[in-house]
Amino acid sequence: MFVTVNGERREIKATRVAELLSELEYEGTHVAVALNYDVVPRARWSETPLNDNDLIEILTPRQGG
């Protein structure tokens, strides 16, 4: 299926948020995920399905000064 991740259209094999993070090698990192503009709690990543044409934002924390 095709989804848009951080503004980039991609073809993915994953069917759930947790699988997508693994596929994109985000495992073990501190991230937040928004699916179609709604934040997905970490506890629900393994059960949250992905659909064709979803919009996904993967955000990493940053520090600045």
Side-chain angles (χ1 to χ4, degrees):
M1 86 177 91
F2 286 92
V3 297
T4 301
V5 178
N6 294 347
E8 181 181 332
R9 187 148 172 85
R10 296 172 166 256
E11 184 173 13
I12 62 167
K13 295 179 183 175
T15 60
R16 306 221 178 267
V17 170
E19 294 169 8
L20 175 66
L21 293 173
S22 179
E23 185 175 323
L24 299 178
E25 300 179 356
Y26 277 98
E27 280 187 311
T29 61
H30 297 284
V31 297
V33 177
L35 175 61
N36 299 319
Y37 305 105
D38 291 321
V39 174
V40 180
R42 182 179 297 268
R44 300 198 64 198
W45 288 356
S46 62
E47 64 189 50
T48 302
L50 298 173
N51 297 296
D52 204 32
N53 296 314
D54 275 345
L55 300 174
I56 302 152
E57 291 292 326
I58 302 171
L59 308 163
T60 56
R62 302 222 173 188
Q63 286 184 307

